[in-house]
Coordinates of all heavy atoms in Angstrom, one line a residue:
N132 N 14.4 -7.4 -4.1 CA 14.6 -6.0 -3.9 C 14.1 -5.5 -2.6 O 12.9 -5.8 -2.3 CB 14.0 -5.3 -5.1 CG 14.0 -3.9 -5.1 OD1 13.8 -3.2 -3.9 ND2 14.4 -3.2 -6.1
K133 N 15.0 -4.9 -1.8 CA 14.6 -4.6 -0.3 C 13.5 -3.5 -0.3 O 12.5 -3.6 0.5 CB 15.8 -4.1 0.4 CG 15.6 -3.8 1.8 CD 16.8 -3.4 2.5 CE 16.5 -3.1 3.9 NZ 17.7 -3.0 4.7
L134 N 13.5 -2.6 -1.3 CA 12.5 -1.6 -1.4 C 11.0 -2.2 -1.5 O 10.0 -1.9 -0.9 CB 12.6 -0.5 -2.4 CG 11.5 0.5 -2.7 CD1 11.2 1.3 -1.5 CD2 11.8 1.3 -3.9
M135 N 10.9 -3.0 -2.5 CA 9.6 -3.8 -2.9 C 9.2 -4.6 -1.8 O 8.0 -4.7 -1.5 CB 9.8 -4.5 -4.2 CG 10.0 -3.6 -5.4 SD 9.1 -2.0 -5.5 CE 7.5 -2.7 -5.9
S136 N 10.2 -5.4 -1.1 CA 9.7 -6.2 0.0 C 9.2 -5.4 1.1 O 8.2 -5.8 1.8 CB 11.0 -7.1 0.4 OG 11.4 -7.9 -0.5
S137 N 9.8 -4.3 1.4 CA 9.3 -3.3 2.6 C 8.1 -2.8 2.3 O 7.2 -2.7 3.0 CB 10.3 -2.3 2.7 OG 11.5 -2.7 3.1
L138 N 7.8 -2.5 0.9 CA 6.5 -1.9 0.4 C 5.4 -3.0 0.6 O 4.3 -2.7 1.1 CB 6.5 -1.4 -1.0 CG 5.2 -0.9 -1.6 CD1 4.7 0.2 -0.7 CD2 5.7 -0.3 -2.9
A139 N 5.8 -4.2 0.2 CA 4.7 -5.4 0.3 C 4.4 -5.6 1.9 O 3.3 -5.7 2.2 CB 5.3 -6.6 -0.3
K140 N 5.5 -5.4 2.6 CA 5.2 -5.6 4.2 C 4.3 -4.5 4.6 O 3.4 -4.7 5.4 CB 6.5 -5.7 4.9 CG 6.4 -5.7 6.3 CD 5.9 -7.0 6.9 CE 6.1 -6.9 8.5 NZ 4.9 -7.2 9.1
M141 N 4.5 -3.3 4.2 CA 3.8 -2.2 4.6 C 2.3 -2.3 4.2 O 1.3 -2.1 5.0 CB 4.3 -1.0 4.0 CG 3.7 0.4 4.6 SD 4.3 2.0 3.8 CE 6.0 1.6 3.4
I142 N 2.1 -2.7 3.0 CA 0.7 -2.9 2.5 C 0.0 -4.1 3.3 O -1.1 -4.0 3.6 CB 0.7 -3.2 1.0 CG1 1.3 -2.0 0.4 CG2 -0.6 -3.6 0.5 CD1 1.5 -2.2 -1.2
S143 N 0.9 -5.2 3.5 CA 0.3 -6.3 4.2 C -0.2 -6.0 5.7 O -1.2 -6.4 6.1 CB 1.3 -7.4 4.3 OG 0.9 -8.5 5.0
D144 N 0.7 -5.2 6.3 CA 0.3 -4.7 7.6 C -0.9 -3.9 7.6 O -1.8 -3.9 8.5 CB 1.4 -3.8 8.2 CG 2.7 -4.7 8.6 OD1 2.5 -6.0 8.6 OD2 3.8 -4.1 8.8
E145 N -1.0 -3.0 6.6 CA -2.3 -2.2 6.5 C -3.6 -3.1 6.2 O -4.5 -2.7 6.7 CB -2.1 -1.2 5.4 CG -3.3 -0.2 5.2 CD -3.4 0.7 6.4 OE1 -2.5 0.8 7.2 OE2 -4.4 1.4 6.5
V146 N -3.4 -4.1 5.4 CA -4.5 -5.0 5.1 C -4.9 -5.7 6.5 O -6.1 -5.8 6.8 CB -4.1 -6.1 4.0 CG1 -5.1 -7.1 4.0 CG2 -4.0 -5.4 2.8
E147 N -4.0 -6.2 7.2 CA -4.3 -6.7 8.5 C -5.0 -5.7 9.3 O -5.9 -6.1 10.1 CB -3.0 -7.2 9.1 CG -2.5 -8.5 8.4 CD -1.2 -9.0 9.3 OE1 -1.1 -8.7 10.3 OE2 -0.4 -9.7 8.4
F148 N -4.5 -4.6 9.5 CA -5.0 -3.4 10.3 C -6.5 -3.2 9.9 O -7.4 -3.2 10.7 CB -4.2 -2.3 10.3 CG -4.9 -1.2 11.1 CD1 -4.6 -1.0 12.5 CD2 -5.7 -0.2 10.5 CE1 -5.1 0.0 13.2 CE2 -6.2 0.9 11.4 CZ -6.0 0.9 12.6
V149 N -6.7 -2.9 8.5 CA -8.1 -2.7 8.1 C -9.1 -3.8 8.4 O -10.2 -3.6 8.8 CB -8.1 -2.2 6.6 CG1 -9.5 -2.2 6.0 CG2 -7.3 -0.9 6.6
Q150 N -8.6 -5.0 8.0 CA -9.5 -6.1 8.3 C -9.8 -6.5 9.7 O -10.9 -7.0 10.1 CB -8.8 -7.5 7.7 CG -8.9 -7.3 6.1 CD -8.2 -8.5 5.4 OE1 -7.5 -9.2 6.1 NE2 -8.6 -8.7 4.2
S151 N -8.9 -6.0 10.6 CA -9.1 -6.2 12.2 C -10.2 -5.3 12.7 O -10.6 -5.4 13.7 CB -7.8 -6.2 12.9 OG -7.5 -4.9 12.9
K152 N -10.4 -4.2 11.9 CA -11.4 -3.2 12.3 C -11.0 -2.6 13.7 O -11.9 -2.2 14.4 CB -13.0 -3.7 12.3 CG -13.3 -4.4 11.0 CD -14.8 -4.7 11.1 CE -15.2 -5.5 9.8 NZ -15.2 -4.7 8.6
Q153 N -9.7 -2.3 13.9 CA -9.3 -1.6 15.0 C -9.6 -0.2 14.8 O -9.9 0.3 13.7 CB -7.8 -1.9 15.2 CG -7.3 -3.3 15.4 CD -5.9 -3.3 15.5 OE1 -5.2 -2.5 16.0 NE2 -5.2 -4.4 15.0
K154 N -9.6 0.5 16.1 CA -9.7 1.9 16.1 C -8.7 2.6 15.3 O -7.4 2.1 15.3 CB -9.6 2.5 17.5 CG -9.9 3.9 17.6 CD -9.8 4.3 19.1 CE -10.1 5.9 19.1 NZ -10.1 6.4 20.5
D155 N -8.8 3.6 14.5 CA -7.9 4.2 13.6 C -6.5 4.6 14.5 O -6.5 5.0 15.6 CB -8.5 5.4 13.1 CG -7.5 6.2 12.0 OD1 -7.0 5.3 11.2 OD2 -7.5 7.2 11.8
D156 N -5.4 4.3 13.7 CA -4.1 4.6 14.3 C -3.5 5.5 13.4 O -2.8 4.9 12.4 CB -3.4 3.3 14.6 CG -2.0 3.6 15.0 OD1 -1.6 4.7 15.3 OD2 -1.2 2.5 15.0
P157 N -3.4 6.8 13.5 CA -2.8 7.7 12.6 C -1.3 7.5 12.4 O -0.7 8.1 11.6 CB -3.3 9.1 13.1 CG -3.4 8.9 14.5 CD -3.9 7.5 14.8
D158 N -0.7 6.7 13.2 CA 0.9 6.6 13.1 C 1.2 5.6 12.2 O 2.4 5.4 11.8 CB 1.4 6.3 14.5 CG 1.4 7.4 15.5 OD1 1.3 8.6 15.0 OD2 1.2 7.1 16.6
R159 N 0.2 4.8 11.7 CA 0.6 3.7 10.7 C 1.1 4.4 9.3 O 0.4 5.3 9.0 CB -0.5 2.6 10.5 CG -1.7 3.2 10.1 CD -2.7 2.0 10.3 NE -3.8 2.1 9.3 CZ -4.8 3.1 9.4 NH1 -4.9 3.7 10.5 NH2 -5.8 3.1 8.4
P160 N 2.0 3.8 8.5 CA 2.4 4.4 7.4 C 1.3 4.7 6.3 O 1.5 5.7 5.7 CB 3.6 3.4 7.0 CG 3.9 2.6 8.1 CD 2.8 2.7 9.0
L161 N 0.4 3.9 6.3 CA -0.7 4.0 5.2 C -1.9 4.6 5.7 O -3.0 4.4 5.0 CB -0.8 2.7 4.4 CG 0.4 2.2 3.5 CD1 0.1 0.9 2.9 CD2 0.9 3.2 2.6
S162 N -1.8 5.2 6.8 CA -3.1 5.9 7.4 C -3.7 6.8 6.3 O -2.9 7.5 5.7 CB -2.9 6.4 8.7 OG -2.1 7.7 8.6
P163 N -5.0 7.1 6.4 CA -5.5 8.2 5.5 C -5.0 9.4 5.8 O -4.5 10.3 4.7 CB -6.9 8.2 5.9 CG -7.3 6.8 6.3 CD -6.0 6.4 7.1
E164 N -4.5 9.8 6.9 CA -3.8 11.2 7.2 C -2.6 11.3 6.5 O -2.2 12.1 6.0 CB -3.7 11.3 8.7 CG -5.0 11.9 9.5 CD -4.6 12.0 10.9 OE1 -3.5 12.1 11.3 OE2 -5.5 12.4 11.5
K165 N -1.7 10.1 6.6 CA -0.5 10.1 6.1 C -0.5 10.1 4.5 O 0.4 10.6 3.9 CB 0.5 9.0 6.6 CG 0.8 9.4 8.1 CD 1.9 8.5 8.5 CE 2.2 9.0 9.9 NZ 3.4 8.1 10.5
M166 N -1.5 9.6 3.9 CA -1.6 9.3 2.5 C -1.8 10.8 2.0 O -1.5 11.2 0.9 CB -2.8 8.6 2.1 CG -2.6 7.1 2.4 SD -1.3 6.4 1.4 CE -2.1 6.6 -0.3
V167 N -2.5 11.8 2.7 CA -2.7 13.1 2.4 C -1.6 14.1 2.6 O -1.1 14.9 1.9 CB -4.0 13.6 3.1 CG1 -4.1 15.1 2.7 CG2 -5.3 13.0 2.6
R168 N -1.0 13.9 3.8 CA 0.1 14.8 4.3 C 1.5 14.5 4.0 O 2.4 15.3 4.3 CB -0.1 15.0 5.8 CG -1.5 15.7 6.1 CD -1.6 15.9 7.6 NE -2.8 16.5 7.8 CZ -3.4 16.6 9.0 NH1 -2.6 16.3 10.0 NH2 -4.4 17.3 9.1
T169 N 1.9 13.3 3.6 CA 3.2 12.9 3.4 C 3.4 12.4 2.1 O 2.5 12.2 1.3 CB 3.6 11.7 4.5 OG1 3.0 10.5 4.1 CG2 3.3 12.2 5.9
M170 N 4.7 12.0 1.7 CA 5.1 11.4 0.4 C 4.7 10.0 0.2 O 5.1 9.4 -0.9 CB 6.4 11.7 0.1 CG 6.8 13.1 -0.1 SD 6.2 13.9 -1.4 CE 7.0 13.1 -2.8
V171 N 4.1 9.3 1.3 CA 3.8 8.0 1.2 C 2.9 7.6 0.0 O 3.1 6.4 -0.6 CB 3.3 7.5 2.6 CG1 1.9 7.8 2.7 CG2 3.4 5.9 2.7
K172 N 2.2 8.6 -0.5 CA 1.4 8.3 -1.5 C 2.1 8.0 -2.8 O 1.6 7.3 -3.7 CB 0.4 9.4 -1.8 CG 0.9 10.7 -2.2 CD 0.0 11.7 -2.3 CE 0.5 13.1 -2.1 NZ 0.2 13.9 -1.0
E173 N 3.4 8.4 -2.9 CA 4.3 8.1 -4.0 C 4.6 6.8 -4.1 O 5.0 6.3 -5.4 CB 5.4 9.0 -3.9 CG 5.1 10.6 -4.0 CD 4.2 11.0 -5.2 OE1 4.3 10.3 -6.3 OE2 3.3 11.9 -4.9
Y174 N 4.5 5.9 -3.1 CA 4.6 4.4 -3.4 C 3.6 4.0 -4.3 O 4.0 3.0 -5.1 CB 4.3 3.8 -2.0 CG 5.5 3.9 -1.1 CD1 5.4 4.3 0.3 CD2 6.9 3.5 -1.3 CE1 6.4 4.5 1.3 CE2 7.9 3.6 -0.5 CZ 7.7 4.1 0.7 OH 8.7 4.2 1.6
F175 N 2.4 4.5 -4.3 CA 1.4 4.0 -5.3 C 1.7 4.6 -6.8 O 1.4 4.0 -7.7 CB 0.0 4.6 -4.9 CG -0.4 3.7 -3.5 CD1 -0.1 4.2 -2.3 CD2 -0.9 2.4 -3.6 CE1 -0.4 3.5 -1.2 CE2 -1.3 1.6 -2.5 CZ -0.9 2.1 -1.3
T176 N 2.4 5.7 -6.8 CA 3.0 6.1 -8.1 C 4.0 5.2 -8.6 O 3.9 4.8 -9.8 CB 3.5 7.6 -7.9 OG1 2.5 8.4 -7.4 CG2 4.1 8.1 -9.2
L177 N 4.8 4.7 -7.6 CA 5.7 3.7 -8.0 C 5.1 2.3 -8.5 O 5.5 1.9 -9.5 CB 6.7 3.5 -6.9 CG 7.8 2.3 -7.0 CD1 8.7 2.7 -8.2 CD2 8.5 2.0 -5.8
I178 N 4.1 2.0 -7.9 CA 3.3 0.8 -8.3 C 2.8 1.0 -9.7 O 2.9 0.1 -10.4 CB 2.2 0.4 -7.3 CG1 3.0 -0.1 -5.9 CG2 1.4 -0.6 -7.8 CD1 2.1 -0.3 -4.7
G179 N 2.2 2.2 -10.0 CA 1.6 2.4 -11.2 C 2.7 2.5 -12.3 O 2.5 1.9 -13.4
T180 N 3.9 3.1 -12.0 CA 4.8 3.1 -13.0 C 5.4 1.7 -13.3 O 5.6 1.3 -14.4 CB 6.0 3.9 -12.5 OG1 5.6 5.3 -12.2 CG2 7.2 4.0 -13.5
L181 N 5.7 1.0 -12.2 CA 6.0 -0.5 -12.5 C 5.1 -1.4 -13.3 O 5.4 -2.2 -14.0 CB 6.3 -1.2 -11.2 CG 7.5 -0.7 -10.4 CD1 7.8 -1.2 -9.0 CD2 8.9 -1.0 -11.2
S182 N 3.8 -1.1 -13.1 CA 2.8 -1.8 -13.7 C 2.7 -1.5 -15.3 O 2.0 -2.2 -16.0 CB 1.4 -1.6 -13.1 OG 1.1 -0.4 -13.3
G183 N 3.5 -0.6 -15.7 CA 3.5 -0.2 -17.1 C 4.4 -0.9 -18.0 O 4.5 -0.7 -19.2
N184 N 5.2 -1.8 -17.4 CA 6.0 -2.7 -18.4 C 6.1 -4.1 -17.7 O 5.8 -4.4 -16.5 CB 7.5 -2.1 -18.5 CG 8.2 -2.0 -17.1 OD1 8.5 -3.1 -16.6 ND2 8.4 -0.8 -16.7
T185 N 6.5 -5.1 -18.5 CA 6.6 -6.4 -18.1 C 7.5 -6.7 -17.0 O 7.2 -7.5 -16.1 CB 6.8 -7.4 -19.4 OG1 8.2 -7.0 -19.9 CG2 5.8 -7.3 -20.4
R186 N 8.7 -6.1 -17.0 CA 9.5 -6.4 -15.8 C 8.9 -6.0 -14.4 O 9.1 -6.5 -13.3 CB 11.0 -5.7 -16.1 CG 11.9 -5.9 -15.0 CD 12.3 -7.3 -14.7 NE 13.2 -7.5 -13.6 CZ 13.0 -8.3 -12.6 NH1 12.0 -9.2 -12.6 NH2 13.9 -8.3 -11.6
G187 N 8.2 -4.7 -14.5 CA 7.7 -4.2 -13.4 C 6.4 -5.0 -12.9 O 6.3 -5.2 -11.6
I188 N 5.7 -5.5 -13.9 CA 4.6 -6.4 -13.5 C 5.3 -7.7 -12.7 O 4.7 -8.1 -11.8 CB 3.7 -6.8 -14.7 CG1 2.9 -5.5 -15.1 CG2 2.8 -7.9 -14.3 CD1 2.3 -5.5 -16.4
S189 N 6.3 -8.1 -13.3 CA 6.9 -9.4 -12.8 C 7.4 -9.1 -11.3 O 7.1 -10.0 -10.4 CB 8.1 -9.8 -13.6 OG 8.9 -10.8 -13.0
I190 N 7.9 -8.1 -11.0 CA 8.3 -7.6 -9.6 C 7.1 -7.4 -8.7 O 7.2 -7.9 -7.7 CB 9.1 -6.3 -9.8 CG1 10.3 -6.4 -10.3 CG2 9.3 -5.7 -8.3 CD1 11.2 -5.1 -10.8
L191 N 6.0 -6.9 -9.2 CA 4.9 -6.6 -8.4 C 4.2 -8.0 -8.2 O 3.8 -8.2 -7.0 CB 3.8 -5.8 -9.1 CG 4.3 -4.2 -9.2 CD1 3.5 -3.5 -10.2 CD2 4.5 -3.6 -7.9
N192 N 4.2 -9.0 -9.1 CA 3.7 -10.2 -8.8 C 4.7 -10.9 -7.9 O 4.2 -11.7 -7.0 CB 3.6 -11.0 -10.1 CG 2.5 -10.6 -10.8 OD1 1.3 -10.2 -10.3 ND2 2.5 -10.7 -12.2
E193 N 6.1 -11.0 -8.0 CA 6.8 -11.7 -7.2 C 6.7 -11.2 -5.7 O 6.9 -12.0 -4.8 CB 8.4 -11.4 -7.7 CG 8.8 -12.1 -9.0 CD 10.2 -11.6 -9.5 OE1 10.9 -10.9 -8.7 OE2 10.4 -11.9 -10.7
T194 N 6.5 -9.9 -5.5 CA 6.4 -9.5 -4.1 C 4.9 -9.5 -3.7 O 4.7 -9.0 -2.5 CB 6.9 -8.1 -4.0 OG1 6.2 -7.2 -5.0 CG2 8.3 -7.9 -4.3
K195 N 4.1 -10.0 -4.5 CA 2.7 -10.3 -4.2 C 1.9 -8.9 -3.8 O 0.9 -8.9 -3.3 CB 2.5 -11.1 -3.0 CG 3.2 -12.6 -3.2 CD 2.5 -13.6 -2.5 CE 3.3 -15.0 -2.8 NZ 3.9 -15.3 -3.8
I196 N 2.5 -7.8 -4.3 CA 1.8 -6.6 -4.2 C 0.5 -6.4 -4.8 O -0.5 -5.8 -4.2 CB 2.8 -5.4 -4.5 CG1 3.9 -5.2 -3.7 CG2 2.1 -4.0 -4.7 CD1 5.0 -4.3 -3.9
F197 N 0.4 -6.9 -6.0 CA -0.9 -6.9 -6.6 C -1.9 -7.5 -5.9 O -3.1 -7.1 -5.6 CB -0.8 -7.5 -8.1 CG -0.5 -6.6 -9.3 CD1 0.4 -7.1 -10.2 CD2 -0.6 -5.3 -9.2 CE1 0.7 -6.3 -11.2 CE2 -0.2 -4.5 -10.2 CZ 0.5 -4.9 -11.3
S198 N -1.7 -8.8 -5.4 CA -2.7 -9.5 -4.6 C -3.0 -8.9 -3.2 O -4.0 -9.1 -2.8 CB -2.2 -10.9 -4.5 OG -0.9 -11.1 -3.7
L199 N -2.0 -8.1 -2.6 CA -2.2 -7.4 -1.5 C -3.1 -6.3 -1.6 O -3.9 -5.8 -0.7 CB -0.9 -6.9 -0.8 CG -0.1 -8.0 -0.3 CD1 1.4 -7.4 0.0 CD2 -0.7 -8.6 1.0
L200 N -3.1 -5.6 -2.9 CA -3.9 -4.4 -3.1 C -5.3 -4.7 -3.2 O -6.1 -3.8 -2.8 CB -3.5 -3.7 -4.4 CG -2.1 -3.0 -4.4 CD1 -1.7 -2.5 -5.7 CD2 -2.0 -2.0 -3.3
V201 N -5.7 -5.9 -3.7 CA -7.1 -6.2 -3.8 C -7.9 -6.1 -2.4 O -9.0 -5.5 -2.4 CB -7.4 -7.6 -4.4 CG1 -8.7 -8.0 -4.5 CG2 -6.8 -7.6 -6.0
P202 N -7.4 -6.8 -1.4 CA -8.2 -6.8 -0.1 C -8.1 -5.4 0.4 O -9.1 -4.9 1.1 CB -7.6 -7.8 0.7 CG -6.3 -8.1 0.1 CD -6.4 -7.8 -1.3
L203 N -7.0 -4.6 0.2 CA -6.9 -3.3 0.7 C -8.1 -2.3 0.2 O -8.6 -1.7 0.8 CB -5.5 -2.8 0.6 CG -5.2 -1.4 1.2 CD1 -5.3 -1.5 2.7 CD2 -3.8 -1.1 1.0
I204 N -8.1 -2.4 -1.1 CA -9.1 -1.5 -1.9 C -10.5 -2.0 -1.5 O -11.4 -1.2 -1.4 CB -8.8 -1.6 -3.3 CG1 -7.4 -1.0 -3.8 CG2 -9.9 -0.8 -4.2 CD1 -7.0 0.4 -3.2
S205 N -10.6 -3.3 -1.4 CA -12.0 -3.7 -1.2 C -12.5 -3.6 0.2 O -13.7 -3.7 0.4 CB -12.0 -5.4 -1.5 OG -11.6 -5.6 -2.8
S206 N -11.5 -3.3 1.1 CA -11.9 -3.0 2.5 C -12.6 -1.8 2.7 O -13.0 -1.5 3.9 CB -10.7 -3.1 3.4 OG -9.8 -1.9 3.1
G207 N -12.7 -0.8 1.7 CA -13.3 0.5 1.9 C -12.3 1.6 2.0 O -12.7 2.8 2.3
R208 N -11.1 1.3 1.7 CA -10.1 2.4 1.6 C -10.3 3.2 0.4 O -9.3 3.1 -0.5 CB -8.7 2.0 1.8 CG -8.4 1.4 3.2 CD -8.0 2.6 4.2 NE -7.3 3.7 3.8 CZ -5.9 3.7 4.0 NH1 -5.4 2.7 4.6 NH2 -5.3 4.7 3.5
S209 N -11.3 3.9 0.2 CA -11.6 4.6 -1.2 C -10.7 5.7 -1.3 O -10.5 6.1 -2.5 CB -13.0 5.1 -1.2 OG -13.3 6.1 0.0
D210 N -10.0 6.2 -0.3 CA -8.9 7.3 -0.4 C -7.7 6.7 -1.4 O -7.2 7.5 -2.0 CB -8.4 7.8 0.9 CG -7.8 6.6 1.6 OD1 -8.5 5.6 2.0 OD2 -6.7 6.7 2.1
L211 N -7.6 5.5 -1.3 CA -6.4 4.8 -2.1 C -6.7 4.9 -3.6 O -5.9 4.9 -4.3 CB -6.1 3.4 -1.6 CG -5.6 3.3 -0.1 CD1 -5.4 1.8 0.3 CD2 -4.3 4.0 0.0
C212 N -8.1 4.9 -3.8 CA -8.4 4.8 -5.3 C -8.1 6.3 -5.9 O -8.1 6.5 -7.0 CB -9.9 4.5 -5.5 SG -10.3 2.8 -5.0
K213 N -8.0 7.2 -5.0 CA -7.9 8.7 -5.6 C -6.4 9.1 -5.7 O -6.1 10.1 -6.0 CB -8.6 9.5 -4.7 CG -10.1 9.3 -4.6 CD -10.6 10.2 -3.3 CE -12.1 9.8 -3.2 NZ -12.6 10.4 -2.1
V214 N -5.5 8.2 -5.3 CA -4.0 8.3 -5.3 C -3.6 8.4 -6.7 O -3.9 7.7 -7.6 CB -3.2 7.5 -4.5 CG1 -1.8 7.8 -4.6 CG2 -3.6 7.5 -3.1

């Protein structure tokens, strides 16, 4: 599914950015600013909805989104826990 692959890529890019400890870039899709000011936070609503059934969990596992979320949350992005 193209949407889920794109979402996985976006999360992967954010993990790489956070782990690189670069100076903040407010233009990246999952920046804290955009999480507050745009609808990008609804991607996490989608992940939550998909995680509520076996087919959704399968999709999240196939796209490795679950495994990408662990380093992202562990990196100190506490704002993502509030979404």
Side-chain angles (χ1 to χ4, degrees):
N132 173 318
K133 188 174 179 175
L134 171 65
M135 297 311 291
S136 296
S137 296
L138 179 55
K140 173 72 170 122
M141 188 184 327
I142 295 170
S143 176
D144 289 348
E145 184 67 14
V146 168
E147 288 179 25
F148 179 85
V149 170
Q150 289 177 340
S151 72
K152 301 188 189 290
Q153 295 178 33
K154 186 179 176 185
D155 192 35
D156 176 7
D158 291 331
R159 63 189 203 281
L161 296 178
S162 71
E164 276 185 12
K165 287 196 177 178
M166 289 295 294
V167 172
R168 296 184 180 171
T169 70
M170 295 292 292
V171 74
K172 64 182 161 248
E173 297 309 322
Y174 285 124
F175 292 91
T176 301
L177 174 63
I178 292 169
T180 300
L181 288 172
S182 69
N184 64 67
T185 54
R186 178 64 184 132
I188 290 171
S189 176
I190 291 169
L191 293 170
N192 283 325
E193 288 169 14
T194 55
K195 307 213 181 332
I196 289 177
F197 275 148
S198 61
L199 290 168
L200 290 175
V201 173
L203 187 58
I204 301 301
S205 300
S206 69
R208 286 291 309 271
S209 59
D210 60 305
L211 295 175
C212 297
K213 299 173 187 171
V214 176

